Amino acid sequence: MQPVKENQLGVMFWAGRDTLDSIHSMGVTCGQLGVGGDADLSPESAGRWKADLEKFGIAAVTVVCAYDGESYADIPTVQKTVGFIPPETREAREARTIAASHFAAELGVPGIGCHIGFVPEDHTHPDYIAVRDMVRRICDHAARHGQTFALETGQEPAEVLLRFLLDVDRPNLGINFDPANMILYGTGDPIMALGILGPKILSVHCKDGDWPLESAPGSLGKERPLGQGSVGIPVFLRKLREVGYRGTIHVERECEDQRERLHDINVALTYLRDLGV
């Protein structure tokens, strides 16, 4: 894998959606590789990805899992379908995450990550216990490959997530901090959350968004192009430095129109470079 520098800019890109040629054209040399439920994680696929990453000089620092059947339509749908919380899909998603760990190992990628879903605040709840134990197993497997396991922020308040991390009690467990998700789910001020979760941050998304409408209970907020939402990106970057984060910073943008998405990623990279990242 290509070496990465402190606070190096990268992007979140997806197998089957983005090409490495388009990522390379953005002038970045690192990123996070997203693998959906239909992505090929075979050793043969890993070999092709490894060759292509080397060809374009891109270092993948995390393999990020998404799963079949997930939907981010609104908060109740996320609760029912996303991550490790739905009991009917736990076994398959654990196996898929283990497969992603093997895939990452073949690529020489040092970390895996995913959304695990809404962690219950009640630590005696059966779903909490089942997911905690599942995360422990995945961490232990990832550790055998020398990998970290990053949980995406946003679907619960920072204090709840920190308590869960401490309860899992694995040294290779941390978070992928996404400031926009805190806003989109209405779970707390991302700048304050950084102060709480700072020591646990393994990787970072630069994403922006606005709060959910009070008039539409259960709705998600709206993702916005970087710098046009409610995060306050310059303040966020300053706080990252204050809490001691020195890892890579990845632009993430999700919207249906691929041309709009790639345009917004390019504009975001320029915006961050102008801010000195």
Side-chain angles (χ1 to χ4, degrees):
M1 188 182 79
Q2 300 291 325
V4 294
K5 300 175 183 177
E6 183 177 296
N7 291 160
Q8 185 170 330
L9 264 182
V11 299
M12 176 75 206
F13 60 95
W14 287 90
R17 185 177 188 185
D18 299 304
T19 66
L20 289 180
D21 182 52
S22 67
I23 301 305
H24 179 261
S25 71
M26 297 176 182
V28 298
T29 55
C30 73
Q32 295 177 307
L33 170 57
V35 291
D38 59 350
D40 183 359
L41 302 183
S42 68
E44 294 77 17
S45 175
R48 292 190 295 270
W49 271 103
K50 185 173 183 178
D52 286 346
L53 287 165
E54 290 175 355
K55 173 185 174 182
F56 287 102
I58 296 172
V61 298
T62 320
V63 169
V64 180
C65 292
Y67 306 100
D68 285 336
E70 292 184 307
S71 172
Y72 291 85
D74 51 37
I75 288 175
T77 304
V78 172
Q79 290 171 326
K80 292 175 183 176
T81 67
V82 168
F84 300 164
I85 298 300
E88 64 276 8
T89 55
R90 264 186 216 137
E91 184 176 355
R93 290 179 180 179
E94 181 172 355
R96 180 68 176 176
T97 311
I98 295 299
S101 174
H102 286 297
F103 178 76
E106 293 280 343
L107 293 178
V109 174
I112 59 173
C114 70
H115 276 289
I116 64 167
F118 282 86
V119 175
E121 294 196 25
D122 178 5
H123 65 277
T124 67
H125 193 285
D127 286 341
Y128 178 99
I129 294 168
V131 172
R132 179 200 63 193
D133 293 348
M134 182 173 166
V135 171
R136 284 174 176 170
R137 291 191 298 271
I138 293 169
C139 283
D140 292 344
H141 180 89
R144 291 195 281 275
H145 290 305
Q147 296 165 343
T148 57
F149 183 31
L151 311 184
E152 186 90 358
T153 55
Q155 294 170 346
E156 56 283 310
E159 297 85 355
V160 173
L161 181 56
L162 178 61
R163 187 179 67 182
F164 179 78
L165 295 172
L166 296 174
D167 195 10
V168 173
D169 191 25
R170 292 296 187 270
N172 62 331
L173 181 66
I175 59 171
N176 181 81
F177 194 94
D178 186 319
N181 283 352
M182 306 291 297
I183 288 173
L184 297 176
Y185 288 93
T187 52
D189 179 349
I191 309 304
M192 292 182 63
L194 267 178
I196 296 168
L197 296 168
K200 298 293 185 180
I201 298 174
L202 297 172
S203 53
V204 164
H205 282 168
C206 248
K207 192 169 81 182
D208 215 338
D210 289 329
W211 296 90
L213 296 173
E214 292 184 9
S215 59
S219 66
L220 287 163
K222 183 176 177 56
E223 188 177 332
R224 303 276 290 161
L226 201 69
Q228 297 181 28
S230 301
V231 169
I233 297 299
V235 177
F236 170 67
L237 293 171
R238 286 198 298 272
K239 188 66 175 181
L240 270 181
R241 298 186 191 100
E242 287 177 17
V243 302
Y245 180 73
R246 299 293 182 266
T248 48
I249 296 172
H250 302 96
V251 172
E252 183 184 36
R253 177 73 168 114
E254 290 302 327
C255 59
E256 291 296 325
D257 187 281
Q258 178 70 346
R259 183 175 295 183
E260 177 187 355
R261 174 174 167 268
L262 293 177
H263 171 269
D264 287 353
I265 290 173
N266 269 302
V267 171
L269 289 167
T270 300
Y271 172 71
L272 290 171
R273 289 170 183 138
D274 288 345
L275 289 174
V277 179

